[in-house]
């Protein structure tokens, strides 16, 4: 237990975060470079005002027309994404590890709140899976890769839930939890999970063009 | 007759009274400081005597019950609650109570390569 736990929470953890952050940085640089060579005119009308206006509009539920057209999806996706980010970042056990490991710390949620948020993430993923089977447009863009990525996102939350409640073998579950969390982080820059970076980039670009050139809203 | 019964009962009560501290000492099975107002996890499993026997540190009280600074056999703190020095909310330059417990247990377990180190290994749910 000691050697695998220390390896997973030590060198592997550092590697996962370096690949995750470094990978996203490289992706950002390569996207900007690509735009500069193939569509340099974007930089002529790039506007932080119109760009941020679009980012913010898309971050408020039911403001974009698309959100109003799909109310169930809007509620699920907002609840899912908020819980996905907040639960692990403010989980007491994670902040404690960070504090004891590198000395950084910030506020935490109660374990009961984080527990409910974890269930919301899992229910959200179940809904996305159901939607990929039933909604024709989602079905059209669903292949094996999509199922693997859904499972990859579900894994750290499911194993975290089981480890927290000490269901099945705790030691196995906690190691699986750490490894699956690291696998998910590593996958982000190289898969469509990178929409965590591409969402603001695309909206900044789209908002600038729609606001500054076409004089219309893009939501 | 009545006197005999009364005396017997008193004797039993007295012996029970002596049993109490002995029972408490032997039966320390968890670390459950009352200083934590709203504990988020079950109390850490810790069978004091069994642990010390297994770890081969019986009599080396100072290793855990340290006083200021490094563990010193001549300067120990048995009987003093950890929270007397380690406040729940860490004071500047001092170790907070939760960190003190975690550090005390984990650092030794890591150094020896034995004993629990992951959250749920100590904070066991029943």
């Amino acid at each position: 237990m000691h050697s695998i736990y220390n390896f997973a929470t030590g060198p592997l953890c550092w590697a996962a975060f370096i690949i995750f952050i470094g990978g996203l940085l490289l992706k950002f640089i390569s996207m900007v470079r690509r735009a500069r060579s193939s569509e340099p005119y974007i930089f002529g009308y790039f506007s932080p005002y119109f760009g941020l206006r679009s980012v913010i509009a898309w971050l408020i539920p039911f403001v974009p027309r698309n959100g109003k057209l799909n109310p169930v999806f809007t509620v699920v996706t907002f609840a899912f994404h908020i819980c996905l980010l907040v639960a692990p970042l403010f989980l007491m056990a994670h902040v404690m590890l960070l504090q004891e490991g590198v000395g950084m710390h910030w506020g935490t949620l109660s374990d009961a709140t984080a527990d409910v948020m974890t269930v919301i993430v899992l229910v959200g993923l179940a809904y996305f899976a159901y939607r990929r089977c039933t909604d024709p447009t989602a079905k059209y863009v669903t292949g094996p890769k999509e199922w693997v990525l859904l499972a990859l996102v579900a894994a750290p939350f499911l194993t975290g839930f089981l480890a927290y409640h000490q269901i099945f073998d705790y030691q196995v579950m906690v190691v699986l939890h750490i490894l699956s969390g690291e696998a998910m982080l590593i996958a982000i820059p190289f898969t469509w999970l990178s929409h965590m970076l591409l969402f603001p980039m695309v909206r900044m670009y789209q908002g600038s063009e729609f606001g500054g050139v076409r004089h219309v809203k893009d939501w | 007759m009545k006197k005999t019964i009364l005396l017997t009962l008193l004797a039993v009560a007295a012996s029970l009274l002596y049993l109490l501290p002995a029972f408490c000492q032997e039966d320390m099975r968890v670390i459950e400081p009352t200083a934590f107002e709203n504990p988020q996890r079950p109390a850490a499993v810790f069978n004091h005597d069994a642990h010390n026997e297994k770890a081969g540190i019986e009599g080396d009280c100072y290793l855990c019950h340290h006083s200021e600074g490094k563990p010193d056999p001549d300067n120990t703190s048995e009987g003093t609650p950890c929270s007397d020095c380690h406040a729940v909310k860490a004071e500047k330059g001092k170790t907070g109570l939760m960190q003190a417990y975690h550090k005390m247990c984990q650092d030794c377990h890591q150094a020896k390569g034995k004993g629990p180190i992951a959250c749920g290994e100590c904070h066991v749910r029943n």
Side-chain angles (χ1 to χ4, degrees):
Chain A
M1 180 65 182
H2 275 241
S3 50
I4 189 159
Y5 180 87
N6 286 337
F7 182 64
T9 54
L12 255 187
C13 185
W14 280 110
F17 273 97
I18 289 167
I19 295 169
F20 166 57
I21 295 168
L24 283 181
L25 263 173
L26 284 178
K27 196 170 179 80
F28 177 78
I29 293 167
S30 83
M31 293 285 289
V32 173
R33 274 201 178 153
R34 230 166 73 193
R36 208 160 246 157
S37 67
S38 63
E39 299 170 76
Y41 45 83
I42 289 171
F43 299 94
Y45 56 74
F46 180 81
S47 151
Y49 169 72
F50 288 125
L52 281 174
R53 193 179 71 161
S54 170
V55 171
I56 292 165
W58 280 92
L59 282 179
I60 306 170
F62 299 111
V63 166
R65 184 168 151 71
N66 201 39
K68 288 177 198 144
L69 291 174
N70 304 288
V72 177
F73 182 69
T74 301
V75 169
V76 175
T77 197
F78 270 90
F80 167 82
H81 280 96
I82 291 167
C83 294
L84 177 88
L85 289 174
V86 171
L89 268 176
F90 298 98
L91 185 82
M92 195 170 85
H94 289 176
V95 176
M96 295 239 42
L97 282 174
L98 209 60
Q99 183 174 9
E100 286 163 15
V102 289
M104 281 196 299
H105 68 100
W106 48 76
T108 56
L109 297 164
S110 74
D111 278 358
T113 311
D115 207 27
V116 172
M117 292 179 112
T118 307
V119 173
I120 293 174
V121 168
L122 292 172
V123 170
L125 284 165
Y127 176 76
F128 297 150
Y130 164 78
R131 189 173 157 270
R132 282 188 180 276
C133 294
T134 53
D135 184 301
T137 47
K139 204 172 174 180
Y140 183 70
V141 291
T142 301
K145 197 177 82 187
E146 278 61 44
W147 294 113
V148 171
L149 287 179
L150 274 188
L152 198 59
V153 177
F157 288 88
L158 183 64
T159 53
F161 182 84
L162 294 174
Y164 173 71
H165 290 282
Q166 298 176 8
I167 300 167
F168 305 124
D169 187 277
Y170 173 75
Q171 291 183 328
V172 171
M173 207 48 78
V174 79
V175 169
L176 284 178
H177 171 65
I178 299 163
L179 295 179
S180 59
E182 288 162 350
M184 186 191 72
L185 284 178
I186 291 170
I188 290 173
F190 310 104
T191 61
W192 52 251
L193 296 177
S194 60
H195 68 264
M196 70 176 284
L197 167 75
L198 297 184
F199 161 75
M201 283 183 84
V202 168
R203 293 265 68 86
M204 289 297 284
Y205 153 71
Q206 199 92 322
S208 297
E209 183 173 321
F210 277 60
V213 180
R214 303 184 189 200
H215 307 292
V216 287
K217 294 168 179 168
D218 68 322
W219 56 88
Chain B
M1 185 62 189
K2 255 190 185 172
K3 215 175 173 183
T4 323
I5 293 173
L6 198 74
L7 267 174
T8 318
L9 280 175
L10 263 174
V12 170
S15 58
L16 277 176
L17 211 67
Y18 279 109
L19 253 175
L20 205 64
F23 185 73
C24 286
Q25 198 61 39
E26 270 180 20
D27 213 34
M28 181 181 178
R29 296 189 185 282
V30 288
I31 297 178
E32 198 167 22
T34 49
F36 295 120
E37 279 179 9
N38 184 21
Q40 297 291 304
R41 295 280 174 130
V45 171
F46 182 70
N47 198 329
H48 182 271
D49 294 354
H51 169 268
N52 296 353
E53 194 186 332
K54 204 171 177 185
I57 54 168
E58 289 160 300
D60 295 335
C61 312
Y62 71 98
L63 287 173
C64 299
H65 297 281
H66 70 131
S67 209
E68 276 175 51
K70 287 209 176 322
D72 175 1
D74 301 323
N75 194 9
T76 65
S77 62
E78 301 100 289
T80 308
C82 307
S83 57
D84 276 15
C85 300
H86 299 284
V88 172
K89 198 170 160 46
E91 290 163 21
K92 217 176 168 159
K94 284 190 167 180
T95 311
L97 186 60
M98 196 168 8
Q99 275 71 42
Y101 281 121
H102 287 169
K103 227 175 124 49
M104 182 58 79
C105 301
Q106 284 177 325
D107 283 4
C108 194
H109 293 173
Q110 288 284 14
K112 303 284 177 200
K114 286 176 195 155
I117 43 171
C119 317
E121 289 184 291
C122 290
H123 299 285
V124 179
R125 289 176 201 282
N126 292 312

